[in-house]
Structures are given as C-alpha cells and as structure tokens.
Amino acid sequence: MLKTLLIQMTDPHIREEGRLAYGRLNTAPYLKQAIEHALALPQKPDAIVLTGDLTDFGRPQEYAHLRRLLAPLGTIPVYLLPGNHDDRQQLRASFPEHTYLGKTGPVCYGVDIGELRLLALDSAVLGASAGSLDQEQLDWLAAELSAQPKCPTVIALHHPPFNTLIGHMDKIGLLNGAEQLEAIVRQHSNVERVISGHLHRNIQIRFGGTIASTAPSVAHQVCLDLAEDAASAWTLEPPGYAVHALSDHGQIVTHTATVGQFDGPFAFHEPSGKLID
C-alpha cells in the first residue's frame, strides 16, 4: 500500500522567457511538460522537491519565470534546493513564502511529507561548479537523524556524493564532505535514499548502507560516456523525473518517469481475460 509519494525533479535550468540555454535550448517547455505529466499520475503527489540548478544563471527574471512554470502545481507542496547554477539569496528573495529556505547561509532544512522525512543539504559553493558540505551542515544532519531515528528519511542535495565515472562531471562533483556524509548515513538505518541532481542522468550506487541516486533532468541529459577523456556534452535524450514511493512497510520504492508522448497503454489480455495470442 502506498503511503507517501515524493516526486523529485531536477536541473530544469530555466532562463528568462525567450532566452535559450546554451544558445539553442528552450528549457521551459520541458519543465511544463514534466509538471503536466506528474499531475496526470494516478496517485496525486504529496510533494515535489527540485534538487538544484533551478535556473541557469540565478537571475531575478529566471526565478520569476520558474515561479510561473510551477504555478500549475497549485496546493501541492514544492521544496526547492539551489545548485551550482543558482543564487541562493536571489532564490530566497524570489520565493519569500518558502520560509524553510531560511534567511542567510546554506539552504538547509527538514520537512515532514506524509510519513516521510525530507532533510535537505546545500552543496552549492558560490562562484564554483563543484560542490561542498561544511561541518555545520553535517553536524545538523547528524542531529536531525538522531532526533527521529525511526522515521523513513530521504536526504536531498544537488551534487551527488559519489563518483559516477562520467569524468568531466566527477571533476565538478561533491569534492568535500562526501565521506563524512556517508559515515553519518551508515549510522542511521532509517535513511531510505540519498537523492541528488547535477548529473542529468539516472544513476544509482550503494552508499552508507542505503541507496544514493541521481535523477534525470526534466530537460536535457549529460551524454553517457564513461571514457576518462570524455567530452563535456549534452543530449536531448528523453527527459524524466524520479518517483519515490513510501510503502506501508516503511521502505521506499523508486521509479523513473519518462516524460513524452508514447503509444499505449495497451492491454495484455482480451476483455474476457484471455491472453492475446
């Protein structure tokens, strides 16, 4: 039985209306389509978390455009995290009603979503592409986990705390704090997932006794090339998002939703129940 449904969208890279990312990609329609797709799911999401690179340059007009794109979500709670393309202070100024963002320092918060706990860390470093977690955030995380040791918990941040073997992205991954984060997670068996963005791909790894993952971008993807000298490049593979579903057993089952128009659904059986030959 499904108890809580958390949608993770990431890396929309929204520009000002009419501006193209990388001079050739209008990212806004992709986020719009992902939101429409999520709203059409048979089960209504309990919340949506966006794990960074909300905008491309962190400009006020970009956040204003993002706000308009998120409006169709209506009363569904939306939780935002900055990535390396964002400006955390401008994010706060553009979404003042999102009081969980705090007022200064890293965007670090804990919220309850149904019977699930979401703990968010801010791995963005001003003026840098790579990420880092400071000791204050790590101490905060350890205290939060110790305070609710039995609650199924998801930890979210932008930079994945593991190497992905996509070399040019690992060079700008979480360069500080990953080992300490894994050690903290290993001490708390109620951590069901460590989720992140940044990689624009669906990637999973065993991490601290649980599963750490990245989600595909709702827009463009990073090319899948594991060569050490792979070029930094993106592709218009199908966009997607992650669906983290908490069951009545207290475990999270994660699905990847692919956004787009595809043939189907088609029944496997005749209306009588007979298998179609």
Side-chain angles (χ1 to χ4, degrees):
M1 179 178 176
L2 175 64
K3 299 184 79 171
T4 304
L5 192 66
L6 173 64
I7 299 294
Q8 177 196 0
M9 295 184 181
T10 196
D11 296 271
H13 287 262
I14 297 302
R15 295 295 312 268
E16 305 93 333
E17 287 197 54
R19 295 289 298 274
L20 302 179
Y22 318 111
R24 63 185 304 158
L25 176 64
N26 185 0
T27 55
Y30 289 95
L31 178 57
K32 180 177 182 291
Q33 291 165 11
I35 289 172
E36 291 172 349
H37 191 278
L39 290 174
L41 290 174
Q43 294 80 26
K44 179 182 177 181
D46 291 285
I48 294 181
V49 59
L50 277 76
T51 49
D53 284 357
L54 312 174
T55 64
D56 214 23
F57 289 94
R59 296 167 179 161
Q61 298 90 340
E62 293 177 336
Y63 287 115
H65 193 190
L66 175 65
R67 172 183 284 277
R68 291 190 291 273
L69 291 165
L70 294 176
L73 291 171
T75 59
I76 296 174
V78 177
Y79 297 104
L80 306 173
L81 263 178
N84 50 288
H85 279 256
D86 289 300
D87 181 314
R88 64 172 63 91
Q89 287 306 113
Q90 186 57 58
L91 173 62
R92 287 166 166 143
S94 298
F95 290 86
E97 73 280 14
H98 289 235
T99 55
Y100 61 87
L101 293 171
K103 296 182 178 180
T104 59
V107 173
C108 187
Y109 57 85
V111 292
D112 293 314
I113 302 168
E115 298 188 31
L116 183 68
R117 183 78 169 153
L118 174 66
L119 300 177
L121 301 171
D122 186 347
S123 60
V125 177
L126 184 63
S129 295
S132 178
L133 293 175
D134 61 29
Q135 192 60 49
E136 185 175 354
Q137 284 197 79
L138 292 166
D139 291 343
W140 172 85
L141 175 66
E144 287 287 320
L145 289 170
S146 295
Q148 298 193 45
K150 295 183 179 181
C151 183
T153 299
V154 171
I155 298 171
L157 68 165
H158 178 65
H159 295 81
F162 57 89
N163 283 333
T164 66
L165 303 184
I166 299 179
H168 64 92
M169 294 301 294
D170 287 339
K171 290 177 182 177
I172 58 169
L174 188 68
L175 302 188
N176 297 292
E179 291 184 4
Q180 297 95 316
L181 175 61
E182 184 170 16
I184 293 170
V185 169
R186 193 177 299 280
Q187 296 173 20
H188 298 275
S189 60
N190 60 315
V191 177
E192 282 288 312
R193 290 289 186 280
V194 179
I195 64 173
S196 55
H198 193 52
L199 261 290
H200 295 234
R201 297 206 68 85
N202 179 15
I203 306 168
Q204 306 89 34
I205 191 173
R206 184 170 57 190
F207 181 87
T210 189
I211 298 170
S213 64
T214 66
S217 168
V218 294
H220 52 298
Q221 312 308 317
V222 168
C223 289
L224 178 56
D225 188 342
L226 305 186
E228 292 185 5
D229 59 348
S232 176
W234 57 274
T235 176
L236 283 177
E237 292 178 34
Y241 58 88
V243 179
H244 303 290
L246 179 68
S247 73
D248 56 1
H249 297 292
Q251 296 174 309
I252 286 179
V253 178
T254 297
H255 296 261
T256 299
T258 302
V259 179
Q261 297 296 319
F262 310 102
D263 289 343
F266 304 108
F268 287 104
H269 298 81
E270 298 282 7
S272 65
K274 181 182 177 181
L275 182 64
I276 297 174
D277 188 351

